[in-house]
Amino acid sequence: MTGDDNPTAASPDDATVLLRVEGALARATLNRPRAINALDHGMVRVLADALTDWEKDEAVAAVLLDGAGERGLCAGGDIRAIRASAVDGDRRAADFWRDEYRLNARIARYPKPYVALMDGVVMGGGVGVSAHGRVRVVTERSKVGMPETTIGFVPDVGGTYLLSRAPGETGTHLGLTGTPIGAGDAVYTGMADHYVPSERLPDLVAALTRARTEAEVIEAVGGFAEIAPAAPLEARRGWIDACYSADTAEEIVARLRDHGDPEAAKAADTIAAKSPTSVKTTLAALRRARGLDTLEEVLEQEYRVSSATLGWPDLVEGIRAQVIDKDRRPRWAPATLAGVSDADVARAFDPAPDGPVGLAAPVAACEGPGGAR
């Protein structure tokens, strides 16, 4: 994949990831619009190979990721395939996660500016391929979230790294409730950098095709960026920090119910509807992630937990209720937070059956807004 000397190099229109180079800008467009561009294993491999090619291509100054259609960048991973793997008792889902987490780490360390247009829905795996980038753009349509506790899973793709480093206990709130956030909160929590109105995105992309250096990329984005909307989470920090600083999930819910703020009570009801096993394991994962220094270390932890979820009844049941039957009435097992023991949670962090992912952070990590560089 080369630059101006090979302008016709591109993917077929029916490819699940559209690849092309325009000027000095390499573009990857997730192309499953009917599924809000949900990631499957093949798409992860295509993105990884493209990043390798573009890193070597001297004509490419920056990489841009966006999504096809009007609904969003990416709704997450292909959870139907993950459920099928869990039902069959095989390692297909684990193989997918292994490559996906390697891609997440690669994006965070990419030597060229990686620009993610986080327009519309950006959930789960969509966060993994965007929020670790060097330049992360949200719009008035952005809906960013890690909703894994809703399906009996746990935030992954480096989500616990990002959430554990959000201001105060806001990341704990988002991780346990799975609440999606808009542009203002995305910038406030450190999951995005710039706010650009969606109507200006085509002009921004055109400007990026002319940028030849990282400084010019940053200048181009800055030329279209505006002050982000207000961040509701910032105004709610009082009850969020007071309630979510508790040591246990049970105490968090009790504090939320007793606080008196209607939003706190609503959060308690939301958590109560999630998988108890997921809620407790997510809390432990977030607390542990705070003590880990690098994204790579957190991704290794997440791989152990993700692998463990394949044996949980809640993962199969949660996806059934939300995606397969869509009755929105999951039958969790255990059904309550009290029914999930500390030993149950601890087992989720045991080594994965096939060992670690094998990620290693560079000795001299470069700093950047996307977190782990």
Side-chain angles (χ1 to χ4, degrees):
M1 300 174 194
T2 59
D4 291 338
D5 59 339
N6 188 13
T8 61
S11 304
D13 290 343
D14 60 352
T16 55
V17 182
L18 303 178
L19 306 173
R20 67 271 195 209
V21 175
E22 300 173 354
L25 182 68
R27 297 191 60 181
T29 299
L30 305 181
N31 190 38
R32 295 181 67 199
R34 292 182 62 184
I36 319 183
N37 305 313
L39 291 171
D40 61 25
H41 203 162
M43 295 167 73
V44 167
R45 289 170 173 153
V46 168
L47 285 172
D49 289 344
L51 289 180
T52 297
D53 290 343
W54 290 333
E55 182 176 345
K56 299 173 183 176
D57 190 341
E58 295 182 357
V60 170
V63 172
L64 176 78
L65 178 77
D66 62 3
E70 297 297 320
R71 299 167 69 189
L73 173 66
C74 177
D78 186 344
I79 58 177
R80 288 176 179 266
I82 291 171
R83 183 180 188 272
S85 179
V87 170
D88 293 342
D90 60 35
R91 299 297 293 174
R92 285 176 294 163
D95 291 342
F96 165 64
W97 289 324
R98 184 178 287 267
D99 286 342
E100 184 182 26
Y101 298 175
R102 286 172 175 161
L103 176 63
N104 302 147
R106 178 80 181 283
I107 289 168
R109 306 288 181 185
Y110 202 63
K112 296 181 179 182
Y114 181 101
V115 183
L117 300 186
M118 300 170 69
D119 185 33
V121 173
V122 186
M123 300 285 178
V127 172
V129 293
S130 60
H132 299 301
R134 197 175 307 179
V135 182
R136 304 159 303 168
V137 177
V138 285
T139 75
E140 78 283 356
R141 303 187 300 199
S142 294
K143 189 177 181 182
V144 183
M146 300 297 296
E148 285 77 8
T149 55
T150 305
I151 59 167
F153 192 48
V154 175
D156 67 333
V157 298
T160 59
Y161 180 91
L162 296 165
L163 294 174
S164 67
R165 285 150 174 81
E169 294 290 340
T170 56
T172 309
H173 168 66
L174 296 177
L176 299 192
T177 63
T179 302
I181 54 177
D185 280 332
V187 174
Y188 174 68
T189 57
M191 299 181 78
D193 310 299
H194 306 280
Y195 170 74
V196 176
S198 58
E199 65 181 13
R200 306 194 74 188
L201 292 181
D203 291 337
L204 169 59
V205 173
L208 288 172
T209 66
R210 300 187 292 270
R212 294 298 190 273
T213 66
E214 181 171 353
E216 290 178 355
V217 169
I218 300 300
E219 182 180 2
V221 175
F224 291 91
E226 299 181 5
I227 296 174
L233 285 178
E234 185 174 15
R236 297 170 182 166
R237 279 284 301 278
W239 64 262
I240 287 176
D241 290 356
C243 297
Y244 287 95
S245 59
D247 291 334
T248 68
E250 291 93 331
E251 179 61 23
I252 287 172
V253 172
R255 289 187 186 184
L256 289 168
R257 293 203 188 284
D258 294 342
H259 186 274
D261 190 300
E263 289 296 325
K266 181 180 177 181
D269 291 341
T270 298
I271 294 172
K274 308 300 181 184
S275 158
T277 303
S278 294
V279 167
K280 280 199 163 182
T281 307
T282 295
L283 180 61
L286 289 169
R287 297 285 164 81
R288 291 181 182 220
R290 286 178 179 173
L292 299 176
D293 293 331
T294 67
L295 172 64
E296 286 79 4
E297 291 176 288
V298 175
L299 285 166
E300 291 285 7
Q301 172 176 279
E302 290 178 349
Y303 184 69
R304 296 195 296 273
V305 176
S306 296
S307 295
T309 68
L310 291 174
W312 290 359
D314 280 6
L315 179 64
V316 172
E317 173 63 8
I319 297 174
R320 179 207 65 77
Q322 294 296 324
V323 178
I324 307 299
D325 297 336
K326 299 182 180 180
D327 58 26
R328 308 294 194 268
R329 297 177 63 185
R331 296 178 291 274
W332 305 124
T336 65
L337 291 171
V340 183
S341 70
D342 291 343
D344 293 333
V345 174
R347 278 194 294 272
F349 297 87
D350 287 345
D354 52 356
V357 179
L359 297 171
V363 175
C366 56
E367 297 296 329
R373 291 179 302 282

